[in-house]
Amino acid sequence: LRLVVLISGGGSNLRALLERCDDPAFPAHVVAVGADRDATGLVHADEFGVPSFVTPWPQYDSREAWGDALLEAIRPWAPDLVVLSGLMRLLPEGVVDALAPRLVNTHPAYLPEFPGAHAVRDALAAGAAETGASVIAVDHGVDSGPVLARERVPVLPGDTESTLHARIKPVERRLLADVVEGVATGRIQLKESA
Ligand code: GRF
């Protein structure tokens, strides 16, 4: 299964996926990594010899123009699945229309709990005893698509945003690899959402 992975930050989840794809028995490989900025996580692509591209958000005068540039950058790689793994940017409708349903996103909460860009902070602020990690199929909403996998993660006394996020990420990585494998083997069927 040909993957394009999109990031914005450190790319620790990307790195975990690259490592998993290194296993010849794993039925997917990352053909390219993209970012909306000069993300530090792009070094993981370099290290694994995977091509990368940047479509810098500030260079475009609209979300739609940025989206069109992103699609132009993705298209040549002919991905079977596009994975948003720490992309901190909402995709314009046109991009979702072009890529869905073969477009998934990882999220550090037990969706539909705590959608949005500050899921870990929001769970802490809510005093939740547990939160989670999720992988969803991306639709036009914010973290609102069909849940493909999700798992509870405990919140521990004294947790900070970073200790809780650090506990969530390994679960996210495992769920993401499971979903990728599921799509590759046909166990998971991604279909046009109604
Ligand atoms: C992940 O938890 C992802 O779900 C969230 O931001 C984090 C990205 O971490 N959107 P990294 O860049 O993979 O380290």
Side-chain angles (χ1 to χ4, degrees):
L1 195 76
R2 297 172 59 85
L3 307 178
V4 165
V5 183
L6 302 181
I7 66 169
S8 294
S12 67
N13 287 353
L14 161 68
R15 183 181 185 83
L17 188 56
L18 287 166
E19 288 166 354
R20 193 70 197 276
C21 289
D22 245 9
D23 172 358
F26 190 71
H29 64 290
V30 180
V31 295
V33 175
D36 64 323
R37 66 196 75 177
D38 193 15
T40 51
L42 292 170
V43 293
H44 302 308
D46 302 343
E47 192 178 321
F48 279 78
V50 174
S52 60
F53 60 83
V54 176
T55 47
W57 174 263
Q59 267 181 25
Y60 302 90
D61 52 18
S62 72
R63 179 183 296 277
E64 287 62 34
W66 172 76
D68 292 345
L70 181 66
L71 278 178
E72 287 313 303
I74 291 171
R75 208 163 261 130
W77 300 105
D80 300 310
L81 183 66
V82 176
V83 176
L84 309 183
S85 180
L87 181 72
M88 299 311 281
R89 194 72 68 184
L90 292 182
L91 296 178
E93 265 198 25
V95 175
V96 176
D97 289 338
L99 298 178
R102 305 184 79 73
L103 175 61
V104 299
N105 180 32
T106 63
H107 186 75
Y110 196 75
L111 289 172
E113 297 169 3
F114 309 119
H118 308 292
V120 180
R121 184 192 315 170
D122 295 345
L124 277 178
E130 54 181 9
T131 180
S134 307
V135 179
I136 61 169
V138 176
D139 67 4
H140 289 113
V142 177
D143 300 322
S144 57
V147 174
L148 301 173
R150 64 180 183 171
E151 185 173 309
R152 282 289 183 192
V153 174
V155 180
L156 301 181
D159 258 339
T160 63
E161 188 174 343
S162 62
T163 60
L164 179 52
H165 209 162
R167 189 176 312 117
I168 292 170
K169 281 185 176 179
V171 178
E172 262 188 279
R173 292 164 196 162
R174 178 164 39 79
L175 294 182
L176 179 58
D178 290 351
V179 166
V180 167
E181 191 170 43
V183 173
T185 59
R187 174 170 52 84
I188 295 180
Q189 294 292 325
L190 296 173
K191 47 194 174 304
E192 296 295 337
S193 47

